[in-house]
Amino acid sequence: MSDILPDERVVIVDYGSQYTQLIARRIREHHVYCEIVPPWVETERVREARPRALILSGGPASVTAEDAPRINEEILDLGVPVLGICYGEQLLVQHLGGRVEPAPDREYGRAELEIAAGDDPLFEGVPARSVVWMSHGDRVASLPRDFEVIGTSPGSPYAAIRGHDGAIYGLQFHPEVVHSEHGARILSNFLTRVAGLHGTWTMEGFVEAEIRALRERIGDDRVICGVSGGVDSTVVAVLLHRAIGEGLHCFFVDNGLLRAGEVDEVRRIFEHDLRIPLKIVDAGKEFLERLDGVEDPEIKRRRIGHCFVEVFEREAAGIADARYLAQGTLYPDVIESISVWGPSATIKTHHNVGGLPENMSLEVVEPLRELFKDEVREAARQLEVPDALWQRHPFPGPGLAIRVVGEVTHERLETLRAADRIVVDEIRAAGLYDSLWQAFAVFLPVRSVGVMGDARTYENAIAVRCVSSRDAMTADWADLPRDVLASISSRIINEVAGINRVVYDISSKPPATIEWE
């Protein structure tokens, strides 16, 4: 864990809940820094983090299953307050001598919480009855010694519990989701009234500390920074430029996987707005050759990541003392690359995290590795990055390669670029761009029959994806006005050759992801 981070730290043990990152975001909204670790994390790593509190997340497993993730008993002996949520509560109960059993009926959705201990600091300012969100198949059947009930629901007689020493709490419900009416207040009470934290984690402080840390680490060495024009890589470049000035060498790699007009826009932003020198590297042919015949999205990501590094190393060869490669890795990238079930189980490879070649000669520097997306945007605001840039929709590192389902070809990319530009233009024209997290097109190699004029067609489809989100950890499909959807569909079919069908993706995250690959 970085030494530049504040002393007030919370460690979240992730047992595989779809809401774990949401717990982290809720904590950081209270200006408290937190880190997510897997159940198999080494005790010494947690001890070195000097946490002021521990949170055990929910999870899909049953604590009664033989192969279920367990508690590291040593971290419970750190002497800090502990909050178990859903699976985390059940795990605490089982570990400390209580009993967990299958619930007669799975409890999923809204439930009424009735507080049995109104004077408990965890529930200060929370009404005696409120709606909470449940999602569990097991339930607590009996409490460990020296525990008491402080909240109940119709389906959970132990919906909230507390150890007599006031240092261990358990909640059967999920306070981190918006469906729990006073969940944010409950988490705030745990942080402030139970753990005694004051909230010192701010982006202003992070930016100042990170610039100092980069200056101390890099010194007179040179850094190669690949930029995409997105907020992540731009913030990395600005931080490094302020830290080491001319020691930074920014390259924009035109990998042939970019949106329409991307190269010219990035050049203008860096040269005229940010005053940071930028070299454009044309490597589109090289990337497309690496992707020839590849359909698997994981292989796409790895090959793109490897190719990026090779291009950077080639460019770095002409720069004296080049030692570092800067990346815009974010905290969700790190989390999603670590499995709850152990190092051997890969969930998703991010080209910023797990896709780099082992023999890479440059050392990696990742100034944003501790941040979520919305925190990066706040950092951009602190750094006075132009609003038009940091308010842009996120764009994936592998580019349009993961928005072309299946094999990536020059023709498919050109088709997708044209369709994608129409989607964004229409969303902007309708005044909806700033209210959406992302709006884009996906090329589907699914041919279907159509009629254009008097002729029969047999062509491909475009999927339109528009979502609302706060930080990309969860997302809802956007219910766009019918006339906007109609205009997008009509323009794509009439203006983009090779497309005769447009579909709208109405999947939320979870269970779907925002990107298709």
Side-chain angles (χ1 to χ4, degrees), residues 229-440:
V231 64
D232 303 339
S233 62
T234 301
V235 169
V236 168
V238 175
L239 284 171
L240 284 163
H241 192 250
R242 294 195 182 183
I244 62 172
E246 294 181 358
L248 173 66
H249 296 266
C250 289
F251 296 90
F252 180 82
V253 177
D254 181 0
N255 58 9
L257 307 172
L258 304 172
R259 293 170 289 194
E262 196 84 4
V263 175
D264 292 336
E265 185 174 3
V266 172
R267 180 187 289 113
R268 179 187 59 77
I269 289 171
F270 271 75
E271 294 180 355
H272 298 288
D273 295 330
L274 300 176
R275 305 291 182 181
I276 298 177
L278 180 68
K279 179 179 179 181
I280 308 294
V281 180
D282 184 0
K285 183 178 179 181
E286 190 173 346
F287 277 83
L288 283 177
E289 287 175 351
R290 300 292 183 88
L291 294 171
D292 185 32
V294 176
E295 296 186 2
D296 185 279
E298 281 296 295
I299 297 176
K300 286 182 187 178
R301 290 175 181 272
R302 282 196 293 269
R303 291 196 179 183
I304 291 168
H306 288 187
C307 196
F308 263 118
V309 172
E310 290 172 15
V311 171
F312 292 152
E313 288 193 316
R314 189 167 63 233
E315 295 298 326
I319 300 174
D321 302 323
R323 179 177 174 184
Y324 295 97
L325 168 65
Q327 290 199 132
T329 306
L330 303 188
Y331 198 36
D333 299 337
V334 177
I335 297 166
E336 291 175 8
S337 297
I338 299 174
S339 172
V340 169
W341 304 96
S344 62
T346 299
I347 297 176
K348 182 178 182 182
T349 299
H350 290 267
H351 79 283
N352 283 359
V353 180
L356 300 179
E358 294 180 1
N359 62 348
M360 186 178 69
S361 62
L362 298 172
E363 295 181 35
V364 175
V365 57
E366 299 169 315
L368 309 181
R369 190 179 176 88
E370 312 287 351
L371 303 187
F372 288 96
K373 190 75 171 188
D374 55 331
E375 291 173 325
V376 176
R377 286 176 169 164
E378 175 59 21
R381 193 180 69 81
Q382 293 289 337
L383 291 164
E384 299 181 335
V385 172
D387 291 354
L389 188 146
W390 64 265
Q391 291 177 350
R392 292 175 71 198
H393 290 174
F395 187 61
L400 297 180
I402 58 170
R403 293 181 180 172
V404 171
V405 175
E407 184 180 4
V408 180
T409 67
H410 175 76
E411 292 74 19
R412 289 179 174 183
L413 287 168
E414 288 300 307
T415 299
L416 178 57
R417 282 192 190 95
D420 187 72
R421 169 166 271 180
I422 290 171
V423 171
V424 174
D425 286 350
E426 290 297 316
I427 292 295
R428 286 190 183 277
L432 298 173
Y433 186 86
D434 292 339
S435 66
L436 298 174
W437 180 263
Q438 280 178 272
F440 57 90

Side-chain angles (χ1 to χ4, degrees), residues 403-405 412 415-416 419 441-449 458-464 492-493 496-504 516:
R403 293 181 180 172
V404 171
V405 175
R412 289 179 174 183
T415 299
L416 178 57
V442 178
F443 180 90
L444 304 181
V446 178
R447 301 181 73 187
S448 63
V449 174
Y458 189 55
E459 295 175 332
N460 292 297
I462 287 288
V464 176
I492 290 175
I493 291 174
V496 182
I499 300 297
N500 68 353
R501 193 175 298 271
V502 174
V503 298
Y504 189 56
W516 277 52

